[in-house]
């Protein structure tokens, strides 16, 4: 998933960015409210982590503006422990959840995962689509019970497609979600990665988990298609 961190303390920002990248997310980081609002407008983030005490545009104002502009992504706020009024104001402004400082990075990661699942309509940390099982807590992937080793990029691609199983996902959307803004964006490389993912998930070419819709994108099958007797 693509996550936007808006936090002015550099050490904290880098720590969160590193932990989220390690957990398989794509991260955009902004050091003040103005840069943060720009990042939210420019990059299609799936979730934002917003410190309320920000220079430039304050966190509360940033959240109100983002919601006013119709941005519906989950927003997790970071607040000072002793300021309960701030938490309430943040939630009223449109945030979805909060973590108080100082925090353990693991707590932020757990809340991020929960918000992403809720936003996608899943309550279960284990995603399933046909024979594929993906555990978002351990990043373990298996097909019909057989463990599949994926690179971090392949994992992120599969998780994204599984959260949108049954829907058409365009190459452009995958580029936006999986590449960071400073990385080279090339939609042709997406084809290569989808091909690799297909071979790892379905080495015997049996159940075709990822459908290609010419000119439109890809669709992960939510259910295993009925076995084709002609291929058996
Ligand atoms: Ca701050």
């Amino acid at each position: 998933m693509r996550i936007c961190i808006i936090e002015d303390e550099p050490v904290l920002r880098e720590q969160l960015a590193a932990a989220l990248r390690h957990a398989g997310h794509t991260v955009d980081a902004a050091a003040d409210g103005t840069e943060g609002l720009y990042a939210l407008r420019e990059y299609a983030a799936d979730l934002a982590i917003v410190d309320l005490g920000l220079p430039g545009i304050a966190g509360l104002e940033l959240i109100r503006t983002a919601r006013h502009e119709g941005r519906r992504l989950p927003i997790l706020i970071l607040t000072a422990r002793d300021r309960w009024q701030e938490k309430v104001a943040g939630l009223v402004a449109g945030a979805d959840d909060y973590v108080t400082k100082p925090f353990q990075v693991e707590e932020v990661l757990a809340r991020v995962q929960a918000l992403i699942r809720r936003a996608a309509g899943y309550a279960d940390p284990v995603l399933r689509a046909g024979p594929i099982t993906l555990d978002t807590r351990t990043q373990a992937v298996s097909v019909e019970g057989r463990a599949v080793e994926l690179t971090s990029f392949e994992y992120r691609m599969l998780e994204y497609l599984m959260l949108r199983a049954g829907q058409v996902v365009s190459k452009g959307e995958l580029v936006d979600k999986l590449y960071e803004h400073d990385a080279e964006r090339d939609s042709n490389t997406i084809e290569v990665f989808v091909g690799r993912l297909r071979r790892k998930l379905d080495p015997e070419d049996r159940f075709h988990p990822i459908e290609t819709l010419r000119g439109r994108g890809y669709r992960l099958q939510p259910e295993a298609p009925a076995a084709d007797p002609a291929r058996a």
Side-chain angles (χ1 to χ4, degrees), residues 135-187:
D135 189 329
T136 59
R137 295 163 303 187
T138 58
Q139 299 193 1
V141 173
S142 63
V143 175
E144 292 176 329
R146 169 183 66 90
V148 177
E149 290 296 327
L150 298 181
T151 64
S152 154
F153 192 88
E154 292 160 356
Y155 173 85
R156 279 154 54 202
M157 178 179 268
L158 179 63
E159 186 188 55
Y160 192 79
L161 291 171
M162 286 186 82
L163 285 167
R164 281 162 183 73
Q167 299 170 27
V168 180
V169 177
S170 71
K171 268 191 220 171
E173 187 178 343
L174 286 172
V175 169
D176 279 347
K177 298 297 175 186
L178 303 176
Y179 289 115
E180 297 194 1
H181 60 85
D182 52 354
E184 199 178 315
R185 294 166 165 239
D186 183 354
S187 63

Side-chain angles (χ1 to χ4, degrees), residues 7-9 12 51-55 101:
E7 164 63 73
D8 57 312
E9 289 165 45
L12 203 52
D51 176 36
L52 287 188
L54 284 175
K101 292 179 178 181

